[in-house]
Structures are given as structure tokens and as C-alpha cells.
Amino acid sequence: MLTIVSGGTGFYTIAVCDGATAVEQTAAAELQTYIQKASGVTLAIVAESAAQDKSFMVGPTAFALSNGVEPTGEEQWAIKCVGNKIIVTGGRPRGTLYAAFHLLEEEIGVRWWNPWEEHVPSKPTLTLNDALDKTGSPSFLYRDIYDGLYDTGANFTGSQPSSLFYARNRLNGHFSFAPAAYGGTIAYGFPYHAHTFHLYFRPEQYFDAHPEYYSVVSGVRTRNGQLDLTNADVKALMKQKVRDSITASYANADAKGLPRPIMFSVTANDWRGFCEEPSCQSVINSKGSSGYLLEFVNEIAADIATSYPEVILDTFAYWFYIDPPSGVAPSSNVQIRYANIDLDLLHSIGHSNNAPVRSKLQSWKAISDRVIFWDYAVNYYPNPPIPSQYDAKADSEYLLAQGLTGALIEHEGTVTTDMWDMKVWMEAKFLENPGLDLETVMNDFTAKYYGLAAGYVNNYLYQSRLLADSTNNFVTFGTSFEKYGYFTLDYVNWCETNFDQAEAAVSGDSIRLRRLRHCRASLDRLIIFRWNALKNEAVSRGVAMTFSRKKSAARYVNTMKEQKALRSLASGSLIQPWNDKAVDDEIRQMVIPADLAEVPYRCMIDVTADRFRLWTANGGLTQIEDDRSLIGQCTKVTLSGFDTQANANLHKPGVTIGLYNPVNGNRTIRTLEIPDITPNAYKLYYCGTAKLYESDYLYIFRSNNVQVDMANLISGQSDQLYDIYVSMNFEGAVYGGSSSNLDAVYIDRILLVGKGVLPTELNGVSYAAMTDFSPESFRLWTAGGGLARIEEGHALTRRCAKVTLNQFATETDRAMHLVTPSIPMLIGVYSPANGARVIKQIFPADIALNVYKVYKMENLLLGAGDYLYLFSSWVIQCDIFKAFTTDPNQRYDIYVSIKFEGPAFGGDLSREDAVYVDRIFVVRR
């Protein structure tokens, strides 16, 4: 054995070869860093000429070469002990770095689990086997995992510690984003790695002047379709654009010291709309949709090869052009990325469910030596337990046996995806070496990641695998929870007990408890989504349930928030807006009432019943579990439980919801009478909009005995506006329900939806005189495309209705949302009784680009039933009549907050053509 460190003393130096590259210097630095982390001792890095007898010899040193250790491949690596020296070397650019990583992993025990967490064992006495002799090289040329952390390299500097997870696990593809010092990547050049037609031919730049460049769909040239691939000008322009992209990409890489990208994507847009022109259809009919695309790409590739023989043009076999072509094959410098969206995620590629996937892949491989597999490992719907870990080895072995160049595994959702950490780590391992033993790799992860809970996690995975093997259910990236009927009550009961035991095993280990809760989140999702089916099975079989929706919902929400906090902003400022939104969307989908389905979860404050302050001295109030509640718990107010009739009467209709603080006093915001109440079901009651202060508490009932303090909820956001909702279920004759039910009110949550502050244009206007309509109250007509409710950081409410011109189905639809000197944007009102009346025209001169501007329409006499509409298409509507008084002579001012962006409105070409509407105010004069 070779003793590297002992008793706080280091006996080795790290000698770097003469003429070392930056990557080889990084290899030495990585050895130094992680040996220090493990042993507490920092070994000196020296030049090769200063190497001692006891040294790590890093890179192609003279010592390594003289001992015949000379890996040659770009990523080939070798580790060998010769006497007291330890050779750590490899080919260039990345081989030596890979040797260092293998030594750290396999000999010292370091693991890089995910972009946020690593495992470094404590080894104050660090020894290495003096017979160490290992070599290797990754099995696939291209190894990539797309996780959504970075959409492009634009925000990647290489300084983020968390970003090195990919390089350290020997991923080398485009989305590894390894900096120059870590060998860079096998990257795609500008403009992007996929779906590039609309990036090369931006509709806002070309469509108006050259509609002939774009595909004919239903007899009309459409800006939202594809390109006309038989158009000679399109071909000529694409050749030049690809050349320009190569020039720009090379210059960018050279400036950053990165390897030049060798792959350039010429790929169809990610929507349908191939051209229906006779010239295009002739090719499609004879050679197939993929042949139509491939003929075009081959022609571009032939032109590029004359000047850039090293460049590979990349295109897709995907979706409606997944079938191999007839009578045409990819040129030698064309690469096919095979992306079959019908891949079954629940089973291996070798399973019978995936026979069509295999068949088409083999047909493509028969006509091309350059094929990369796009593996959809992600399910965009909330994930139940999906034990795909068991397929990682078999799938990689299959792809290698087929002679594929490599794989891109799409696996977004580092927070929401079932066991993302384990799956992605294993995917990286088997992309590098499909020959690894599956059980060894799985156990290595669970033992180190979950500690004493590893055995329980292994049993959970095994039981999940048995269940998956028992069904032929087909799970793709778009499978919703309705398809997961094969999960049985017995399975869920067993899993719940197993996880309780696992948590007990690591009860004193906060890190492993957190990891275990994240692992358990998929089971919690399953319980929440399939609660009714599981409960029905329990009742029909007379079997007890070892779980509750209340516990699962509370644990799930807390786990998602906990993981988002860990992963949204890690050291080095690795920001993940995709994850942030995915988590909020999933929480909202699972445990938020449908009335607020359009409101981003991060824009609301969710106060569940366990956080209420109850005054129980007079009886009548209890906290109970309630399966009818989305969160499984509530505060129950039972009229017969009060000590006096007078106290009971304080809880009868009208039920008062209000606010109180010592300065502003009592403010009633809503009183619910019998006509307002829907008995025998939970309903979300909108109580009004109010300005909240940290000193406020919200109360329910005239007794004020159900309270919620605002201090910790709106800290730092006092004096802002909130919509206030209370979720309640009323039962019994007192509340208009059945006399067979006890008179009771069940309150499970209070939701505060942030509206921010008022626009400055409304300064001085009494809020009591206005009605504030947020985007979720707008009515959107989306049949023609182009409209969506989105989160928008510049909106005062952080959300808006967005009108995106390029997403309309037809050019006619798009034209209705332009603003020109002769065609203004219309704002009008309509009711059947009064007809349509335009109340505002917005011309180009009225627009303030890239900022929200409030447009005012004043002193309006409006009629009963009037609603507001925007644009000549009327695609955004708002029921402003809800703000009207009963006085027919009352006049109103209307304010609409709008932002315009993009060249169609006279703005920046780099922004898409879009209109954002975030608020509508109706003010009584």
C-alpha cells in the first residue's frame, strides 16, 4: 500500500507534466482539492522536474511515457502505480481529467451526486493500492443529459461550483457546459441545438416581405408553420446562414478557449405544418416526411462540406417524421437524432411495448452511421414511483450494440421528477460504461446517499419494479395520473410503512432525512392523486389505510418547498427558473382549489388549518382530519359544541370575514349570508381585495375566534394588495343544507393572492371606489392560439395575459393584433342590450415599448351586463359589470395596464412580438 496522507502529514506531491494543458492543470487541482477534503491535508502541486519519489504524475509526463503509459484517445485515461509514483494520465483534451476523476471516485470514494451535493469520505489516513493499474475510455462518443438548468450557455460562466457535476461525471455533450479548463464539450454551434428553422428564418424578419419562404397550410402561407423546403431562395439563404453560424460559433469558442463546435442543427420547428404546396407534397408522397426534410438537409450539408469538412449537420427523426425515408439516406456529414415520443418510460427499450421504437431506430441505423438517441426519461406530468433505474444498464447496452454514436437523455425537473438524483447519476455512469454491474451501481448510490435507510429504499425500488413488471401500462412523457391504476392499496400501505421505518433509521441525520423525504415525494403524489380510488378499495375490501392524504399533502408541499430552496439558488448563483415554475405548478395542480388554477403558486400565500389561531374557551372548535379537503385537514366549527346559545349564534349566517389591527381598527371584507353559501361541499369563497399590514390579523366569524396573523406571512411586503379567499364547507339546516346533518362549518385553508401595489397612475384614487381585475379573472379565447396566462416578472402582480403574435394559427388571426397607423388596437365594451362600443383606440404613437403603461378611459356611462374586450378579435374579455353599482347614472373610469414588445410594434428585433395585459381597473367616479 502507498500511504498518501497520515497523521496530518502529506507524503506525496502532485507533479504536472511539462507543457501541461489547462485541462491537465485542472486534473492536478481536482486531485489536490478532494484529497484535502478527504484527509485535511493539502498536497503541493509542482512541475514535473520537481517531482519527488512519492508523486502523482499528472498528464503525459516523461515518466509515464518511459513506462509505456500513453493513452491516445481524446478521452482515454490510465492510472498506474510504478514504484512509489502514481501515473494519472490520458489523451487530450479530457483524458487526464477523467483519470483524476476515476481515481477520486474509485480509489478514494468521492461521489458527485447532483449539481448541489457531493460525498467525500473522511480519510485522515489515506492509502492507495500499490498494484493500481486501470485504463478506460467512454463507450459512447457523445454523452449528454438535458435537465433544464441552462437553456443555453449564455448564463454559464464556468465559475459555478454546481455546474461541474456534469464534467466530473464524464458527460461531454452540449448541456454539460464544461468550461475550457474542464475540457469543454462536444457542442452545437449557433443558433441552438434543436428546432432551428424559426431561428434561422425569424418570421418577424422575413414573413411580411417573403411569405413564399414559409409553408402552405390549408391553402395559406403561415408564419407559424415550417419552411418551404423546395424554395430555391430558402435553400440558398440557409446555406449562407449555416456558414455564418459556423463563423460566429468558431469565433465565440476561440475567444473562450473552448473546443470549436462541430455540430450544427438544421431542424424543423417543434410543431406541425410541413408545406402542402404541390412541389413539397410531391417529395413527401414519394419519400416521406422525413425524406422531404432530409433532402433539404443533405443539400445544405453538401455545400458546407466544401469549406468545413469537419462540420456535422444534425437533424431529427421525430414526431410526424419519425418514420425512415424512402429513396434517400443521410449524407456522410449528416447526423440523425432519433427522438421517438412514443417511448415507454415504464419499461426498458427491449420491452415489447417499445418494439416499434426499436424497429424504426434500426431502420434509421441501417442508412446512417451517425445516429444519436434522444431518450425521453422525463414525464412532464406529476410523477408516481417509476423504477426506471433498473433499465439504465440494459438501455445503454442496447444502444451501444446498435452502434449508436451516443445519447441525449432529456430529464428535466430536478425537484419534481421521481428520484431524479439517483436516475441522472446512474444515467451518467452507464453512458460512460454500459458494462458496469447494475446492482453494484444502484447499491453504491443508495448506501452512500441514504445511509442507514438504504435497505429500505432498495426494498421500495424492488417492490416498485415488481409492480411495473406486472403491468403492460404504457407511460410516455405525457402520461397523466389517470393511467396509473395499477398501483394497489397493498403496495401503498407497504410503502408507507417502509418509509416510516426508513425515516426512523436516519432520524438523527438531517441531510439523509431530507433526501428520504424527497424520495418519498413520488409516493405522496400518488396518494394525493389516487386518494379516492385507494379509499374505495380500502372500503370495499375492509382493509385499513396506513396513510392519510393530510399527512401526504403537508409533507409533499413542505418537501417541494424545501427542495426548491436548496436547488433554486445554489452556491455560485445557479438559478433555475424552470424548476421554480415546475414546483409551483405541481403544488398548485395537486392541492390548490380549481378556482385558483390559473394563479402561480408563488404568487399566493397558502395558510392551512394547522396554522390558524383558535380561541376555544367557549367550545365549538376542533382540528380534525377531513378526507373531503384537498389537504386532508380542517378546523371544524360545531354550533352545538358552544357553551352558550349566544356564542353559537355568533357563527350563524352572516359569517363575517374581516381584518383587524390597533391602528386601522376593524375592517369587514365580506359577510356570507344564506344566498352566498353552497352547502355540503368545500368551496373557495372570494372575500374581497384588501391592503394588508404586518400588524393585521384576519378573522372569521363575528366571534373572531378563528384568526391568522399576517406578521410572518407578509413580512417585508406590508401595505400591498391581496385577494383574500377562504375555503369552507357549510353543513346543516342553519346554513341552507340538510337538517340530517349537524350544523357545522369546516375551514381548511385561507389563500392570499398577491396583487402588489397600485400603478402610479392610480395614486390618489380611493381603493374603495375601484374594482381591481387580475389576469386570472380575464376570459381568454384561445381557439386560434396565441394567448396564455403566464408569470411575468415586470407585472406588478407578477402575472399577466400574454398575446404572442407568432403563435396564432393563421395570418388573419395575427393581423388582428397588430397596431399600425391605420389599424389601432381596440378597447371596447359590449352587452346584448347595448351592443358593442369602442371606448379606446391605441395607435403606435401611444405605445411605450417594453414597459407597462396604463391606458385610461374616463367618464364612461356603462350599461348593465357590459363586459370589456381588447383587440378587434375580442380575445381578451373581462366582466367589468361586476364592478357596477345599481345606479344607472353612475359613471366610471377604466384603466388597462398593457406592455408591447417586439418589432411588430416598433421595438427590438431580439424580442418576440407580444402584448402583455396584467390588470384592469374600474373606478366609480
Side-chain angles (χ1 to χ4, degrees):
M1 299 296 288
L2 303 177
T3 300
I4 312 301
V5 174
S6 181
T9 300
F11 300 101
Y12 270 68
T13 59
I14 302 170
V16 185
C17 65
D18 293 336
T21 66
V23 180
E24 288 155 356
Q25 292 169 356
T26 297
E30 289 283 293
L31 287 174
Q32 182 188 58
T33 296
Y34 281 95
I35 288 173
Q36 190 281 326
K37 287 184 177 183
S39 69
V41 174
T42 301
L43 303 183
I45 297 176
V46 301
E48 180 179 354
S49 59
Q52 303 172 0
D53 176 51
K54 295 182 177 182
S55 291
F56 291 91
M57 306 301 291
V58 177
T61 59
F63 182 81
L65 298 176
S66 67
N67 282 277
V69 184
E70 190 176 0
T72 56
E74 291 184 357
E75 297 180 326
Q76 190 175 6
W77 57 271
I79 306 168
K80 185 173 184 176
C81 290
V82 179
N84 285 326
K85 288 186 169 63
I86 305 164
I87 297 170
V88 181
T89 188
R92 290 176 172 171
R94 289 179 288 275
T96 296
L97 185 61
Y98 285 6
F101 289 149
H102 276 279
L103 187 148
L104 291 170
E105 277 196 318
E106 296 163 18
E107 307 308 319
I108 297 179
V110 176
R111 298 291 185 271
W112 297 282
W113 297 131
N114 56 43
W116 304 273
E117 297 181 280
E118 63 185 15
H119 169 78
V120 182
S122 175
K123 293 195 172 184
T125 297
L126 176 61
T127 61
L128 293 177
N129 188 340
D130 57 6
L132 189 60
D133 188 357
K134 291 185 174 183
T135 62
S137 183
S139 296
F140 291 103
L141 173 65
Y142 185 85
R143 306 173 304 282
D144 206 3
I145 296 176
Y146 175 70
D147 54 22
L149 301 189
Y150 305 103
D151 206 39
T152 71
N155 65 335
F156 178 78
T157 66
S159 63
Q160 301 98 320
S162 49
S163 65
L164 299 175
F165 161 76
Y166 313 95
R168 287 171 174 154
N169 283 290
R170 280 83 70 195
L171 296 166
N172 68 354
H174 182 79
F175 289 101
S176 306
F177 293 120
Y182 284 77
T185 62
I186 300 176
Y188 285 82
F190 299 138
Y192 193 50
H193 81 111
H195 305 304
T196 56
F197 278 4
H198 75 293
L199 299 175
Y200 279 120
F201 287 80
R202 293 185 178 275
E204 60 268 24
Q205 183 177 2
Y206 287 105
F207 185 83
D208 291 340
H210 294 285
E212 71 275 11
Y213 290 176
Y214 297 85
S215 57
V216 173
V217 178
S218 300
V220 178
R221 296 279 179 186
T222 174
R223 126 186 352 250
N224 284 339
Q226 307 284 352
L227 298 176
D228 183 336
L229 302 185
T230 64
N231 183 288
D233 290 340
V234 168
K235 294 177 182 179
L237 266 173
M238 182 64 84
K239 292 171 186 176
Q240 186 57 52
K241 285 178 175 292
V242 173
R243 286 175 174 271
D244 291 344
S245 289
I246 294 170
T247 300
S249 299
Y250 280 7
N252 180 67
D254 293 348
K256 295 179 178 179
L258 292 166
R260 288 180 167 183
I262 61 169
M263 299 182 295
F264 290 81
S265 173
V266 180
T267 45
N269 300 325
D270 198 10
W271 50 81
R272 289 188 179 270
F274 272 7
C275 188
E276 297 169 4
E277 273 278 281
S279 59
C280 299
Q281 284 299 304
S282 175
V283 180
I284 292 172
N285 291 337
S286 64
K287 299 182 178 180
S289 293
S290 61
Y292 168 68
L293 174 62
L294 196 54
E295 278 203 340
F296 175 80
V297 175
N298 280 347
E299 183 171 334
I300 309 303
D303 177 76
I304 297 302
T306 61
S307 302
Y308 301 99
E310 73 280 9
V311 163
I312 305 300
L313 290 197
D314 177 277
T315 197
F316 284 160
Y318 171 65
W319 198 8
F320 58 95
Y321 49 100
I322 189 71
D323 292 326
S326 300
V328 60
S331 298
S332 60
N333 62 336
V334 171
Q335 174 175 277
I336 301 299
R337 266 190 296 174
Y338 178 80
N340 198 318
I341 61 176
D342 293 323
L343 182 70
D344 176 15
L345 311 182
L346 193 60
H347 303 96
S348 70
I349 297 175
H351 190 272
S352 58
N353 281 5
N354 285 318
V357 174
R358 296 195 304 275
S359 175
K360 292 175 183 179
L361 174 60
Q362 290 160 7
S363 295
W364 276 104
K365 188 63 185 66
I367 61 172
S368 176
D369 291 330
R370 297 184 187 274
V371 179
I372 287 179
F373 190 80
W374 187 310
D375 186 354
Y376 291 99
V378 64
N379 181 358
Y380 291 110
Y381 281 77
N383 287 196
I386 301 176
S388 56
Q389 294 95 321
Y390 286 94
D391 301 323
K393 173 182 171 65
D395 286 354
S396 291
E397 286 179 328
Y398 173 80
L399 298 178
L400 188 63
Q402 296 304 308
L404 268 66
T405 310
L408 165 66
I409 301 177
E410 184 173 353
H411 216 151
E412 297 99 324
T414 69
V415 177
T416 55
T417 295
D418 173 56
M419 296 190 76
W420 185 90
D421 296 347
M422 183 178 186
K423 290 178 179 180
V424 167
W425 185 81
M426 288 181 61
E427 287 160 1
K429 292 287 168 275
F430 286 111
L431 280 177
E432 183 185 24
N433 184 5
L436 295 172
D437 180 72
L438 177 65
E439 185 175 358
T440 299
V441 173
M442 290 182 69
N443 288 342
D444 182 45
F445 184 92
T446 56
K448 294 181 176 67
Y449 197 71
Y450 296 110
L452 294 176
Y456 298 98
V457 175
N458 289 338
N459 289 338
Y460 164 68
L461 288 169
Y462 179 70
Q463 292 298 324
S464 300
R465 179 63 176 193
L466 290 179
L467 197 63
D469 286 345
S470 72
T471 178
N472 283 324
N473 274 36
F474 203 101
V475 175
T476 70
F477 64 59
T479 297
S480 62
F481 253 87
E482 289 74 21
K483 300 292 185 181
Y484 294 108
Y486 59 87
F487 286 101
T488 64
L489 175 63
D490 291 340
Y491 167 84
V492 177
N493 271 341
W494 180 88
C495 287
E496 189 75 358
T497 300
N498 182 67
F499 271 116
D500 286 344
Q501 294 169 347
E503 290 191 9
V506 292
S507 59
D509 187 336
S510 61
I511 292 176
R512 289 191 166 102
L513 270 172
R514 167 173 52 76
R515 293 171 178 173
L516 198 59
R517 286 192 295 271
H518 197 201
C519 174
R520 191 174 188 167
S522 299
L523 182 69
D524 287 329
R525 289 188 195 95
L526 179 67
I527 290 169
I528 295 166
F529 266 112
R530 292 201 52 78
W531 175 259
N532 291 335
L534 292 167
K535 185 175 181 182
N536 289 341
E537 183 183 352
V539 172
S540 65
R541 291 175 53 198
V543 176
M545 303 169 79
T546 63
F547 52 91
S548 77
R549 183 161 61 177
K550 169 189 174 181
K551 291 180 180 178
S552 287
R555 182 171 53 230
Y556 173 77
V557 172
N558 289 335
T559 297
M560 291 296 100
K561 290 179 178 178
E562 177 181 64
Q563 288 295 328
K564 188 173 77 167
L566 172 70
R567 298 170 187 237
S568 289
L569 185 62
S571 59
S573 298
L574 174 60
I575 299 172
Q576 294 185 74
W578 192 96
N579 258 334
D580 209 24
K581 184 177 185 302
V583 173
D584 287 351
D585 285 351
E586 190 166 291
I587 292 174
R588 186 180 67 219
Q589 182 177 356
M590 296 223 289
V591 295
I592 296 299
D595 309 63
L596 296 180
E598 301 293 344
V599 179
Y601 188 71
R602 78 181 78 183
C603 295
M604 64 178 78
I605 298 170
D606 183 5
V607 188
T608 50
D610 56 306
R611 299 169 70 186
F612 298 170
R613 183 171 63 234
L614 306 182
W615 295 91
T616 58
N618 298 319
L621 277 75
T622 52
Q623 292 277 35
I624 66 166
E625 294 193 13
D626 186 355
D627 290 342
R628 298 167 299 179
S629 163
L630 285 173
I631 58 170
Q633 61 179 320
C634 71
T635 293
K636 182 180 180 182
V637 181
T638 310
L639 267 60
S640 61
F642 285 101
D643 56 359
T644 68
Q645 187 59 47
N647 283 326
N649 290 341
L650 293 174
H651 303 83
K652 293 180 178 180
V655 173
T656 301
I657 299 95
L659 295 162
Y660 175 83
N661 70 51
V663 174
N664 301 97
N666 180 66
R667 295 108 71 202
T668 299
I669 53 176
R670 182 157 190 195
T671 301
L672 296 174
E673 304 290 355
I674 290 287
D676 304 313
I677 292 172
T678 302
N680 304 323
Y682 275 97
K683 177 181 175 180
L684 199 62
Y685 291 90
Y686 171 64
C687 300
T689 302
K691 185 178 291 186
L692 298 183
Y693 305 91
E694 290 187 46
S695 57
D696 275 332
Y697 68 78
L698 183 143
Y699 65 83
I700 305 175
F701 302 111
R702 297 187 298 280
S703 63
N704 285 27
N705 61 1
V706 177
Q707 300 178 2
V708 173
D709 282 321
M710 296 295 112
N712 295 325
L713 300 177
I714 62 169
S715 178
Q717 301 180 61
S718 190
D719 203 30
Q720 296 197 24
L721 297 167
Y722 292 84
D723 284 338
I724 299 171
Y725 297 84
V726 180
S727 174
M728 294 185 279
N729 176 20
F730 294 88
E731 289 188 345
V734 165
Y735 301 105
S738 171
S739 58
S740 62
N741 289 334
L742 200 65
D743 293 323
V745 183
Y746 304 80
I747 312 166
D748 65 344
R749 71 206 313 174
I750 295 167
L751 288 154
L752 310 175
V753 178
K755 305 190 79 164
V757 298
L758 290 175
T760 56
E761 291 86 349
L762 278 85
N763 285 350
V765 178
S766 168
Y767 197 75
M770 72 175 71
T771 303
D772 181 357
F773 294 92
S774 298
E776 55 271 14
S777 66
F778 301 169
R779 191 165 51 248
L780 305 185
W781 294 92
T782 59
L787 275 82
R789 290 182 181 87
I790 67 163
E791 295 179 51
E792 214 280 312
H794 296 103
L796 290 176
T797 61
R798 292 196 296 172
R799 54 199 190 274
C800 69
K802 181 182 179 183
V803 180
T804 308
L805 270 61
N806 288 339
Q807 292 180 5
F808 282 103
T810 69
E811 188 58 27
T812 300
D813 288 335
R814 177 182 178 274
M816 297 177 76
H817 304 88
L818 293 170
V819 179
T820 71
S822 59
I823 306 175
M825 173 183 168
L826 303 183
I827 301 177
V829 292
Y830 171 84
S831 69
N834 302 305
R837 295 98 72 202
V838 173
I839 58 174
K840 183 76 173 179
Q841 298 183 21
I842 298 176
F843 289 93
D846 302 317
I847 291 173
L849 286 164
N850 306 327
V851 294
Y852 281 95
K853 177 180 176 180
V854 175
Y855 297 86
K856 181 180 180 182
M857 294 131 276
E858 57 186 333
N859 199 27
L860 302 171
L861 186 62
L862 301 171
D866 274 341
Y867 64 78
L868 188 80
Y869 64 83
L870 276 64
F871 302 101
S872 59
S873 62
W874 297 25
V875 291
I876 297 179
Q877 300 175 8
C878 180
D879 291 334
I880 59 171
F881 62 82
K882 294 178 179 179
F884 297 171
T885 68
T886 56
D887 181 0
N889 297 313
Q890 174 69 55
R891 289 185 174 269
Y892 302 88
D893 295 338
I894 296 177
Y895 300 78
V896 183
S897 176
I898 308 174
K899 178 174 71 168
F900 295 87
E901 288 186 345
F905 302 104
D908 188 345
L909 187 66
S910 66
R911 297 176 186 250
E912 65 180 345
D913 296 322
V915 184
Y916 305 79
V917 184
D918 71 334
R919 287 168 103 170
I920 296 170
F921 300 89
V922 178
V923 179
R924 297 185 300 278
R925 292 179 67 88

